[in-house]
Amino acid sequence: MRSTKLLPFAFTLALAFAQPSLATPLASGVPGMLFDHDVPITMTDGLQLRVNIYRPEKPGRYPVLMLMGPYGKDTSLADAPAYKTSWTKLIAKYPDLCKKSSCRYIRFEAPDPERWVANGYIVIHADVRGAGASPGVLDPFSTRETEDYATLITWAAHQPWSSGKVGLFGTSYQAINQYQVAALQPEGLAAILPWEGAYDQYREIAYYGGILNVAWEYWWTHQVVPNQNGNAETSLVDSINGGKDTGAPLSPEVLKQNRVDPIEAFAKHPFDDTYYRRRTPEGSRITVPLLDVANWTDWSTEGFRSAASKQKWLRIQTGDHLTPFYSDEALALQKRFFDHFLKGVNNGWEKEPRVAVQVRRPAGTTWRSAAAWPLPGTQWQRYYLDAANGSMDPALGTAAPAEKSYPGLGDGLTFTSAPFTEETEFTGPIGIRLWVSSSTSDMDIFAAVRLIDPQGRDVTFMGNSDPNVPLGLGYLRASHRAVDPARSTEYIPFHPHLTSEPMTPGQLYPVDVEFTNPTSIVISKGYRLALTIQGKDFGYGPGANIVRAKDYDLPNSSNSGLFFAAHPNRDPALYGGADTLATGGEHTSYLLLPRISARR
């Protein structure tokens, strides 16, 4: 069972009123905004977290927007070296951003409090336990951290300047933990807006298709550990008071004891065990109004699909991880949602389409609204593979049996469709069924669904964390091939990931490749689809024959998406064998695509 322990109401109520009163606010430098800095809030175990509170100067009771993260509530996005690239991209995209705000209080992956306080909201930003000014053990997404969040929400709901309604807001880390704490149903929580956040801790963060994702090591060492409480060597600067915002210095030995390295923890837990289940919320307990903003690459429709909320909306967009969050269009959407659920404004939000998707084209994007997800009327179309000639086509279901082998750590096989003769749209989840064997007892499958233009170039798109991504990326460790039929559909297989089932060398097995994200593309006449199957990370290296979708001019990267698999658990002796893909006859292998009929 997942951990869904509720804080006792009597205790949380007493705790809310037992907190110290706020000191005299600091001068915020922003007309009409009060700023309470490093306010100590006592948790259920007695430890005090530190929060910043931004609130209207005019007396009254206001709804609260809250976020809690590890990146530093006092670390300026504009000035921190760690976020220089993000800030440069943001200002390049929105050069007038700091004409609408002083930008002094913008933090990484966090809303600009100035633009919310001016509209009658209070913004509370907390340092998680063990980060920034909050002492304790830094253990990302732990049950202890989630309980802290619940305590903060209840505290905020009972303050004299609060209307009693709390909304959660933020992107990435500060979206993931919204799902977690919403399942605890803390008093005062009235709505959540997770912007590009993962839901399933095993399948979307730690292991993709059962393959360890070591990309988090970079995140941990470059973005989180520098802000650990007690880290006197940090390069991050306190933008409020200068100096460090990581509390009293601690020795390297104590610092190490006070943090739980997620990659080390993931490696110790290769299966979806209690470690992940306690960090993955129970969807049936998420009942508050919800707006899930997802990205076609890396995070995710799973929160929307899993939540039991009767009032829930899904919006899937393209673009990078940070800049869309700060656009005027996004701000208007965010305010309409929170105005409706936190202020009771009759702004027509209840008539907002439950699903809105940004449909991709090589020459740009268009928005489409729908009543449900997957889109109503989706036709699931199989593109059968033919190993004899590297082709794929819906008409190849009766192709003759064929097999082709490739080195397990090599470039693999690519199957290509004929040029499309008419404009065709695919929007929704995608799946792959393959028949495979290996000369060893296991193999890793990395799948990339690609778009090829009439000149033979890959058309790439801006991804959440990568400027060059294909249409979709899928993963599966063959020994994790077991599927739970009760929780699976034809287009989304559910792998329990509870045990390893070695392969018998040379024997063929059916496998369903796991995709963490759906896709969207309108394919123009003359373009082709391609499917690459290999046993290593897919990516576009320097000199790759690519053309970017409209409006992007960014450097190549050697790896696509928020995933990197190079790790000691990828033993070349086991995963570098001769892998074989079978097609046709009794071993039909295919790419499953969500075709959308032309709109009349």
Side-chain angles (χ1 to χ4, degrees):
M1 294 292 293
R2 305 196 194 284
S3 176
T4 56
K5 179 182 177 182
L6 292 172
L7 294 172
F9 173 76
F11 179 81
T12 54
L13 188 62
L15 182 66
F17 287 109
Q19 304 291 345
S21 59
L22 300 182
T24 302
L26 295 176
S28 70
V30 178
M33 186 174 85
L34 300 177
F35 175 46
D36 303 294
H37 182 239
D38 265 350
V39 177
I41 310 298
T42 304
M43 299 296 102
T44 56
D45 63 351
L47 183 140
Q48 289 186 328
L49 300 192
R50 299 284 176 159
V51 307
N52 286 350
I53 304 174
Y54 308 85
R55 51 195 175 101
E57 187 175 26
K58 183 178 179 180
R61 291 181 177 270
Y62 300 93
V64 174
L65 296 178
M66 181 177 286
L67 66 153
M68 184 174 79
Y71 304 120
K73 61 179 175 47
D74 294 323
T75 301
S76 170
L77 177 59
D79 299 326
Y83 306 126
K84 181 179 180 180
T85 299
S86 295
W87 179 252
T88 300
K89 289 166 60 177
L90 183 60
I91 292 300
K93 184 72 173 179
Y94 307 121
D96 293 334
L97 184 69
C98 295
K99 295 179 181 179
K100 303 172 183 178
S101 161
S102 73
C103 290
R104 181 184 178 189
Y105 299 102
I106 297 180
R107 308 297 183 241
F108 185 58
E109 300 181 342
D112 182 353
E114 291 182 45
R115 303 188 74 176
W116 288 92
V117 170
N119 283 272
Y121 285 90
I122 293 169
V123 177
I124 299 180
H125 190 167
D127 282 330
V128 299
R129 178 179 296 243
S134 295
V137 175
L138 180 59
D139 187 2
F141 305 118
S142 63
T143 54
R144 175 68 260 181
E145 188 176 281
T146 305
E147 186 176 337
D148 290 344
Y149 207 173
T151 301
L152 289 173
I153 292 167
T154 302
W155 174 84
H158 285 279
Q159 297 312 297
W161 32 253
S162 170
S163 70
K165 289 190 175 182
V166 179
L168 306 183
F169 191 25
T171 184
S172 193
Y173 194 105
Q174 288 122 176
I176 297 169
N177 60 15
Q178 290 182 48
Y179 292 122
Q180 292 177 300
V181 75
L184 295 186
Q185 300 180 349
E187 183 193 0
L189 183 60
I192 63 174
L193 203 168
W195 191 284
E196 295 191 12
Y199 180 86
D200 189 312
Q201 290 275 325
Y202 182 87
R203 292 162 185 80
E204 296 185 279
I205 295 179
Y207 286 82
Y208 281 22
I211 307 171
L212 180 62
N213 183 6
V214 299
W216 296 112
E217 192 63 52
Y218 183 91
W219 166 79
W220 177 248
T221 58
H222 288 79
Q223 292 186 314
V224 180
V225 171
N227 191 54
Q228 184 183 0
N229 179 261
N231 184 357
E233 301 302 319
T234 182
S235 62
L236 301 178
V237 176
D238 180 354
S239 64
I240 306 303
N241 296 321
K244 312 296 183 182
D245 189 40
T246 50
L250 299 174
S251 69
E253 294 75 21
V254 174
L255 284 172
K256 187 172 183 180
Q257 293 172 6
N258 279 3
R259 61 179 181 251
V260 179
D261 186 320
I263 298 301
E264 292 181 3
F266 296 164
K268 294 175 182 177
H269 297 272
F271 303 109
D272 188 13
D273 59 16
T274 303
Y275 174 87
Y276 303 104
R277 293 173 194 168
R278 296 186 68 187
R279 286 164 166 78
T280 299
E282 185 63 56
S284 64
R285 295 192 58 83
I286 300 176
T287 58
V288 294
L290 158 71
L291 171 57
D292 175 7
V293 178
N295 194 302
W296 292 121
T297 55
D298 292 316
W299 301 345
S300 146
T301 62
E302 191 59 31
F304 175 82
R305 295 177 61 244
S306 300
S309 305
K310 293 181 180 179
Q311 295 176 295
K312 62 179 181 179
W313 287 263
L314 174 66
R315 183 179 177 92
I316 312 177
Q317 62 186 15
T318 189
D320 70 82
H321 178 52
L322 199 63
T323 56
F325 182 72
Y326 294 97
S327 71
D328 287 342
E329 177 193 27
L331 185 64
L333 177 81
Q334 296 156 4
K335 286 183 176 178
R336 285 189 64 230
F337 175 77
F338 283 126
D339 281 354
H340 184 74
F341 288 109
L342 300 189
K343 292 185 175 181
V345 176
N346 184 14
N347 58 12
W349 178 268
E350 68 278 2
K351 297 179 182 178
E352 187 78 15
R354 290 303 178 109
V355 175
V357 297
Q358 193 173 11
V359 179
R360 296 183 295 192
R361 299 169 180 263
T365 64
T366 55
W367 281 97
R368 165 174 296 173
S369 299
W373 180 260
L375 302 182
T378 300
Q379 299 175 349
W380 302 101
Q381 189 169 33
R382 296 181 179 183
Y383 274 69
Y384 294 97
L385 312 182
D386 188 348
N389 56 22
S391 63
M392 64 177 183
D393 193 276
L396 289 174
T398 57
E403 293 185 5
K404 193 162 186 178
S405 298
Y406 60 94
L409 298 179
D411 291 332
L413 308 175
T414 294
F415 300 85
T416 308
S417 74
F420 279 71
T421 58
E422 61 180 7
E423 186 175 89
T424 304
E425 179 184 344
F426 298 108
T427 296
I430 52 180
I432 297 176
R433 160 59 66 91
L434 303 174
W435 282 85
V436 297
S437 68
S438 178
S439 62
T440 70
S441 60
D442 207 353
M443 62 183 288
D444 284 342
I445 300 170
F446 296 76
V449 181
R450 301 155 53 194
L451 180 64
I452 310 297
D453 76 357
Q455 288 73 45
R457 300 172 298 182
D458 269 89
V459 180
T460 67
F461 298 84
M462 169 63 75
N464 172 299
S465 59
D466 192 310
N468 296 297
V469 294
L471 294 177
L473 293 166
Y475 310 86
L476 186 69
R477 176 154 287 178
S479 59
H480 286 233
R481 62 189 176 276
V483 171
D484 181 351
R487 301 183 65 179
S488 299
T489 63
E490 182 184 15
Y491 49 86
I492 301 181
F494 184 85
H495 299 89
H497 296 294
L498 297 178
T499 188
S500 177
E501 300 179 66
M503 307 167 71
T504 299
Q507 180 175 324
L508 287 170
Y509 296 88
V511 296
D512 297 292
V513 178
E514 205 172 276
F515 282 78
T516 57
N517 284 80
T519 193
S520 178
I521 185 64
V522 175
I523 301 176
S524 302
K525 182 179 178 180
Y527 284 68
R528 295 174 294 149
L529 281 175
L531 171 65
T532 294
I533 303 295
Q534 58 189 37
K536 64 177 183 179
D537 291 299
F538 178 83
Y540 302 101
N545 188 26
I546 65 175
V547 57
R548 297 174 182 87
K550 187 180 179 181
D551 295 335
Y552 301 123
D553 186 19
L554 294 163
N556 287 337
S557 61
S558 60
N559 191 64
S560 270
L562 190 63
F563 183 90
F564 187 59
H567 187 268
N569 79 341
R570 292 259 296 154
D571 181 359
L574 182 58
Y575 297 101
D579 297 336
T580 300
L581 175 59
T583 62
E586 296 180 353
H587 302 118
T588 55
S589 296
Y590 55 84
L591 167 66
L592 183 68
L593 292 172
R595 183 161 185 168
I596 306 300
S597 300
R599 305 180 80 182
R600 302 297 182 186

